[in-house]
Amino acid sequence: MVKPVATINVVPNLPDPLKRLQELAYNLRWAWDHETLALFRRLDPDLWETTGRNPVWMLGLISQERLEFVAEDTAFLAHLNRVLAEFDDYMTSTDTWFRQRYGHEDRPTIAYFSMEFGLTECLQNYSGGLGVLSGDHLKSASDLDIPLVGVGLLYQEGYFQQYLNADGYQQENYPINDYANLPVTLQRGDDGHPIQISVSIAGHPLYAQIWKVQVGRIPLYLLDTNIPENEKLEDRNLTDRLYGGDRRTRIRQEILMGIGGIRALEALGLRPAVCHMNEGHSAFLALERIRQLMTERHLSFSQAKEITTASNIFTTHTPVPAGLERFDFDLIDEHFSDLYPKLGLTREEFLNLGRERLGHDELFSMAVLALKLSSAANGVAKLHGIVSRNMWQWVYPHVPEPEIPIESITNGIHVQTWISREMGTLLDRYLDPSWRQGEDNPEVWENIDSIPDTELWRSHERRRERLVAFTRQRLSRQLIGRGASRSEIEAAAEVLDPDALTIGFARRFATYKRATLLFRDIERLKAIVNNPDRPVQFIFAGKAHPHDTAGKELIRDIVRFSRMPDFRHSIVFIENYDMNVARYLVQGVDVWLNNPRRPKEASGTSGMKVIYNGGLNCSILDGWWAEAYNPLVGWSIGNGEEYPEHEAEQQDDIESRALYNLLEQDIVPLFYERGRDNVPHEWLDRVKNSMRTLSPVFNTRRMVRQYTEKYYMPGYERSQRITDVDLRNGRDYAAWRSNLEAEWSGVEVLKVDVGEHQIAVGSEVEVRAEVKLGKLTPDDVRVELYYGQLGTDGTIEAGALAQEMQLQGANDDTGTYIYTGCFTDHTTGGRGLSVRVLPDHEFLPNPFQLGLITWA
């Protein structure tokens, strides 16, 4: 091999009228704007598909003759000018939600960190749902004009490409991403050289350069270690694969993303006012923010910790302990021993930041670190919030489970990315035109009933036909790739029926998602699928993690079933599930099937995408569907039952029978019950109910608005107050925290007087409490009356009410304080009450965050 002495980048030679095509290509707004997509497709339809819908690569491959021709094509230029006008208006508009809500002047930088970003299929920087959610988050932040920047890693190989061998067993392929032909831009300094940062990795520096992906108004910065400055091959290869390598590779990737991500923003002249950790992978950023502030402002660890924690936010996507990101202490020692003294911490103090006890094993949990160093934490669905509060109760041992400081913001999808052009055009005709910019407004969906059933049905039928054609094409390619016979390849052109009820199942093939639940009673499934008058067909897709043997076996089982004579034409597995496959599926299926073991699905967003495309959901009541479902919008498998692990086999039997019953007795008959116009009007009533009820809720516009109103801006405002000019507020708050923790053991509720122990309904009960505060004062605490219904075990049940009690004075003889409070109950029965003392401070985001609570 010959090493170059210099490198150059060859760019397309675009005629003057087409110069701005390159600008459009490098801004991923094209990924969700149908007109821009149509423009690039019009430029060269074959090349558009050949390049994987990658306009940057396409512009590099297109012939000069074709460019010269379209540069003189008045129709193409008119289309280009129309797209550019809309693009310029989008990018420069000041009439945006954020500016209307928060004004034009103060625009804090909000940094959103995620291990993966799924923005478009040609940029393979994602593995599945977490990445697609992150991508949709950025897109809606752009639409709303949130002053947000994304931070992550740029992977040379990304996640694997899936193909199946002759036995149907998943194989992995890792093609190299060519950054020169992707919509990414290397960030350079004023001297023209790439901007680089470094982090310490086990005693030596690791260097990374920074690439930018422009997502509408939002910049996404991705770190890349494959540069000559890294002498070790393992360092250069660190950003090769998403979720690849061993635990040492993983911790180093997370150090690079968290600590390196903050340093990259600093190198770009950006100091984030708020940091949002999407999952615990980036939690090390909190340590870097603390170190940064300690160094610059000569603060102690505790002072810097309190100040930076005020503006950190943590979103967890994990509903089971086994899914948490944890590291052995030896890996922590290997990578952070040099940081312990810089933070002024002993080894034990550092480990306590993320320590998690599991039996006799001790591990460092990234989620624990994120919880302890964030002012707000949330799950990604209402049910997931409940599951998370239960899972993390040990961190807040004396706090009632409903009050554990982990809330929920339900995930959503970016509608313009996932809605088909046909459906979008139909909605343009019948809904308020603002639906594209205000899909979270319930009023814009009220007119859904004005869409004639025949038009809605024809639009959806066209998408189903396209899905069937796409599936046949992909299946033929799969068969050719694995060396199938000519007769098998020819038969692929006849699989599926464009008029049959089509059900989709596509997701990560983890065992808890139970991809093969449908196949527990093969004879019953055969009868459903092969009904000559009411046929049903299923399309499967999804990847198993390369190390998940059980998940790979599920894929092989489905492929084996699909090859049986009775299923050969009605069950298909599509290889290499990505955003393009997902788009065809969610836009074309009639029903989206989801059957995880409740409550192991944190949210799940794939089913949300069918709402906007005229499809319906059939799912276990888990994740988002637990809060979305009602009988008028889709179907539930079971009624939300939860089974212990040892009853998994029984659970699968029960829920598979429930699924068969739904198909036989409800879904299939409803789909095939047609009017004289051959349109299923009752089916479409349910579709319209689903669109009217669910569309305003399950989108990322609503979701990102909630993050902004609930976390981003309150975090920013709290941070502004705590970081006044000389940091006096921050120092005082840190001192208060330190004193509070030192003196809390002196807090005691000495006596509670209730008076009458039997009262009439509607009577007011006064409660008097005598509270000892030790060296603390009433200004440091909040005293509350806590009361609710008694459970059979004699404890106060969940759902109890808390009411602040009022300070009435001090008992000078005992050095205690007297508090009183009242409550009234309007129903009969046993009631329990208690009195509790909680910390109280204007900068404390939540009184339960510290885990300090004293009960009577």
Side-chain angles (χ1 to χ4, degrees):
M1 292 186 179
V2 178
K3 284 192 175 183
V5 295
T7 60
I8 58 172
N9 187 32
V10 181
V11 298
N13 182 17
L14 298 175
D16 285 342
L18 306 181
K19 288 290 187 189
R20 292 194 67 194
L21 277 174
Q22 192 149 358
E23 182 184 355
L24 291 176
Y26 275 91
N27 188 314
L28 263 63
R29 180 176 174 270
W30 58 258
W32 71 91
D33 183 70
H34 289 298
E35 276 303 313
T36 313
L37 286 168
L39 179 73
F40 283 121
R41 188 181 293 110
R42 181 176 186 168
L43 191 60
D44 191 320
D46 294 334
L47 202 52
W48 175 249
E49 296 300 330
T50 303
T51 59
R53 299 161 62 94
N54 178 352
V56 174
W57 192 14
M58 186 178 78
L59 290 177
L61 293 179
I62 197 167
S63 70
Q64 202 64 37
E65 290 78 11
R66 175 62 180 165
L67 290 173
E68 297 292 347
F69 176 81
V70 296
E72 297 180 2
D73 182 344
T74 54
F76 182 87
L77 293 178
H79 192 177
L80 171 61
N81 290 332
R82 186 168 70 250
V83 166
L84 286 171
E86 292 174 357
F87 174 78
D88 290 339
D89 181 61
Y90 179 91
M91 294 298 292
T92 60
S93 174
T94 56
D95 184 24
T96 61
W97 176 83
F98 186 87
R99 292 172 193 265
Q100 289 175 352
R101 179 77 170 77
Y102 295 103
H104 290 251
E105 302 302 323
D106 206 6
R107 291 179 61 81
T109 297
I110 299 157
Y112 177 84
F113 286 71
S114 184
M115 198 73 168
E116 49 180 298
F117 288 90
L119 294 158
T120 179
E121 57 267 28
C122 73
L123 187 59
Q124 293 286 330
N125 226 55
Y126 63 96
S127 71
L130 177 71
V132 173
L133 173 77
S134 301
D136 283 6
H137 192 114
L138 297 193
K139 292 171 184 176
S140 280
S142 173
D143 293 341
L144 292 162
D145 193 22
I146 312 293
L148 186 132
V149 299
V151 181
L153 304 180
L154 184 64
Y155 304 99
Q156 189 79 59
E157 298 176 2
Y159 205 53
F160 67 91
Q161 302 289 294
Q162 178 198 55
Y163 67 97
L164 305 181
N165 65 18
D167 191 37
Y169 197 74
Q170 173 181 293
Q171 307 291 301
E172 294 87 32
N173 183 31
Y174 291 88
I176 301 297
N177 288 317
D178 179 8
Y179 300 156
N181 288 314
L182 288 171
V184 299
T185 308
L186 185 61
Q187 298 302 281
R188 299 180 182 274
D190 294 337
D191 58 2
H193 293 114
I195 298 172
Q196 293 185 358
I197 59 97
S198 70
V199 295
S200 176
I201 296 290
H204 73 275
L206 171 76
Y207 298 95
Q209 60 187 5
I210 308 165
W211 298 81
K212 182 174 80 168
V213 180
Q214 191 66 39
V215 187
R217 299 181 176 101
I218 305 297
L220 166 61
Y221 296 108
L222 303 172
L223 297 173
D224 164 31
T225 62
N226 187 15
I227 54 177
E229 285 76 5
N230 289 318
E231 296 178 0
K232 294 184 177 181
L233 183 62
E234 62 181 307
D235 289 346
R236 294 191 63 160
N237 292 344
L238 187 64
T239 51
D240 271 2
R241 294 181 181 179
L242 173 60
Y243 305 134
D246 56 14
R247 300 305 296 161
R248 181 171 280 101
T249 298
R250 178 67 69 87
I251 196 171
R252 293 180 177 188
Q253 285 184 333
E254 296 185 2
I255 290 169
L256 176 64
M257 181 171 66
I259 296 176
I262 292 292
R263 293 181 183 178
L265 293 176
E266 197 73 24
L268 294 164
L270 298 169
R271 175 67 64 95
V274 175
C275 287
H276 183 177
M277 299 172 249
N278 191 40
E279 255 309 346
H281 305 121
S282 59
F284 292 136
L285 71 84
L287 300 176
E288 175 62 9
R289 295 188 83 197
I290 291 169
R291 187 205 61 79
Q292 203 176 51
L293 199 57
M294 288 176 67
T295 303
E296 292 174 356
R297 307 301 290 270
H298 308 293
L299 301 177
S300 68
F301 175 83
S302 62
Q303 290 172 327
K305 170 177 168 286
E306 299 310 330
I307 292 170
T308 57
T309 294
S311 56
N312 288 336
I313 295 147
F314 169 50
T315 296
T316 175
H317 296 258
T318 309
V320 290
L324 296 171
E325 187 74 288
R326 302 177 174 114
F327 296 107
D328 291 324
F329 284 174
D330 60 344
L331 280 176
I332 299 297
D333 287 335
E334 179 184 349
H335 293 91
F336 290 101
S337 291
D338 60 338
L339 185 60
Y340 301 162
K342 291 178 184 175
L343 295 177
L345 299 177
T346 66
R347 175 181 183 270
E348 284 302 301
E349 287 171 333
F350 186 94
L351 294 177
N352 284 340
L353 294 173
R355 188 186 298 270
E356 182 175 310
R357 291 189 179 274
L358 296 171
H360 298 294
D361 298 326
E362 287 194 300
L363 296 167
F364 190 94
S365 166
M366 297 296 283
V368 172
L369 179 67
L371 283 171
K372 289 186 175 180
L373 299 182
S374 297
S375 63
N378 70 283
V380 290
K382 289 179 182 177
L383 177 60
H384 183 230
I386 295 169
V387 170
S388 298
R389 287 189 287 276
N390 176 266
M391 189 165 76
W392 294 111
Q393 194 166 16
W394 65 270
V395 179
Y396 313 92
H398 303 297
V399 178
E401 190 173 307
E403 294 178 301
I404 287 170
I406 301 175
E407 301 174 296
S408 65
I409 291 181
T410 302
N411 284 344
I413 63 134
H414 185 256
V415 177
Q416 299 308 315
T417 293
W418 296 104
I419 194 167
S420 72
R421 187 167 191 176
E422 291 87 346
M423 188 61 72
T425 301
L426 182 66
L427 298 182
D428 285 339
R429 284 205 299 272
Y430 290 97
L431 298 190
D432 185 316
S434 69
W435 79 269
R436 287 190 184 269
Q437 293 79 40
E439 62 267 33
D440 56 336
N441 180 2
E443 292 180 9
V444 306
W445 298 98
E446 287 301 319
N447 259 1
I448 207 79
D449 288 323
S450 67
I451 302 175
D453 282 359
T454 50
E455 289 194 51
L456 179 57
W457 185 241
R458 299 298 173 235
S459 293
H460 183 69
E461 279 193 313
R462 281 193 290 273
R463 289 309 313 184
R464 191 192 316 115
E465 289 165 2
R466 289 193 182 188
L467 170 60
V468 168
F470 172 79
T471 304
R472 289 171 175 173
Q473 194 176 52
R474 287 293 291 258
L475 183 59
S476 294
R477 278 171 36 199
Q478 290 171 201
L479 292 169
I480 292 168
R482 69 176 76 128
S485 67
R486 183 178 181 83
S487 60
E488 281 184 280
I489 296 167
E490 290 174 350
E494 298 177 1
V495 301
L496 304 181
D497 177 352
D499 297 319
L501 171 60
T502 304
I503 299 176
F505 182 101
R507 52 192 33 86
R508 182 167 55 91
F509 267 66
T511 51
Y512 79 85
K513 293 178 184 281
R514 298 188 297 179
T516 54
L517 188 71
L518 183 70
F519 298 95
R520 289 187 72 84
D521 187 337
I522 292 296
E523 295 306 314
R524 197 169 175 185
L525 181 60
K526 285 179 183 178
I528 293 170
V529 164
N530 295 312
N531 185 320
D533 300 317
R534 296 178 168 183
V536 182
Q537 56 199 17
F538 295 87
I539 304 175
F540 289 84
K543 297 177 178 180
H545 188 279
H547 300 144
D548 184 0
T549 303
K552 292 182 178 183
E553 289 295 339
L554 293 177
I555 293 173
R556 180 156 61 180
D557 287 343
I558 291 173
V559 173
R560 179 168 53 83
F561 287 126
S562 73
R563 292 173 178 173
M564 294 171 63
D566 287 296
F567 296 139
R568 191 180 297 277
H569 292 95
S570 52
I571 295 178
V572 177
F573 185 92
I574 301 178
E575 289 178 5
N576 204 32
Y577 184 45
D578 66 0
M579 291 182 71
N580 189 40
V581 175
R583 195 178 297 110
Y584 274 96
L585 282 167
V586 300
Q587 293 174 0
V589 299
D590 301 297
V591 176
W592 194 256
L593 178 62
N594 188 28
N595 40 242
R597 292 191 195 282
R598 176 183 161 119
K600 295 187 176 182
E601 184 89 290
S603 175
T605 56
S606 55
M608 299 175 187
K609 299 174 179 105
V610 305
I611 297 169
Y612 302 90
N613 289 292
L616 295 170
N617 279 275
C618 175
S619 176
I620 295 287
L621 292 176
D622 198 7
W624 76 282
W625 193 238
E627 65 196 79
Y629 170 73
N630 77 64
L632 300 179
V633 301
W635 296 274
S636 73
I637 304 169
N639 295 305
E641 300 89 350
E642 293 179 17
Y643 296 77
E645 288 292 333
H646 68 272
E647 293 181 8
E649 192 70 19
Q650 179 186 0
Q651 177 184 5
D652 290 353
D653 281 338
I654 292 170
E655 293 179 342
S656 65
R657 287 197 296 270
L659 174 55
Y660 294 135
N661 290 339
L662 280 174
L663 288 168
E664 293 165 344
Q665 300 167 20
D666 200 343
I667 297 175
V668 175
L670 194 67
F671 181 84
Y672 284 105
E673 190 65 41
R674 305 295 170 92
R676 295 179 63 185
D677 52 4
N678 197 34
V679 172
H681 295 284
E682 288 190 33
W683 179 277
L684 291 174
D685 284 344
R686 197 168 293 211
V687 168
K688 290 179 177 179
N689 288 334
S690 171
M691 296 182 80
R692 185 191 316 103
T693 308
L694 307 181
S695 293
V697 181
F698 296 100
N699 57 75
T700 44
R701 185 181 180 89
R702 181 271 311 158
M703 182 192 84
V704 174
R705 234 181 359 90
Q706 284 186 310
Y707 275 112
T708 304
E709 294 171 337
K710 194 172 184 177
Y711 297 141
Y712 294 165
M713 295 310 288
Y716 168 63
E717 289 157 9
R718 188 164 52 246
S719 177
Q720 286 293 95
R721 295 201 315 274
I722 208 170
T723 55
D724 53 340
V725 177
D726 58 359
L727 292 182
R728 183 186 307 161
N729 286 339
R731 295 173 194 269
D732 289 348
Y733 177 57
W736 175 83
R737 278 286 310 268
S738 179
N739 181 63
L740 186 82
E741 291 176 2
E743 303 296 340
W744 192 260
S745 60
V747 175
E748 188 178 356
V749 180
L750 297 176
K751 188 177 180 183
V752 177
D753 289 326
V754 181
E756 295 294 327
H757 288 272
Q758 182 168 304
I759 60 170
V761 169
S763 300
E764 185 177 82
V765 179
E766 183 177 77
V767 179
R768 185 175 183 273
E770 192 172 333
V771 179
K772 178 183 175 184
L773 296 180
K775 294 183 180 180
L776 300 179
T777 73
D779 290 337
D780 297 322
V781 301
R782 173 188 178 98
V783 179
E784 291 183 340
L785 174 62
Y786 184 86
Y787 63 96
Q789 191 166 335
L790 278 175
T792 55
D793 61 353
T795 62
I796 301 174
E797 291 187 336
L801 298 174
Q803 179 179 308
E804 186 172 7
M805 301 178 75
Q806 303 304 312
L807 176 66
Q808 299 300 331
N811 186 331
D812 295 329
D813 295 334
T814 60
T816 59
Y817 298 89
I818 308 301
Y819 288 83
T820 60
C822 299
F823 77 91
T824 304
D825 210 303
H826 298 284
T827 59
T828 60
R831 298 291 181 271
L833 63 86
S834 187
V835 171
R836 66 187 185 186
V837 186
L838 297 163
D840 189 40
H841 194 284
E842 64 171 316
F843 296 141
L844 188 63
N846 187 301
F848 304 105
Q849 187 188 39
L850 308 183
L852 298 176
I853 180 169
T854 296
W855 291 89

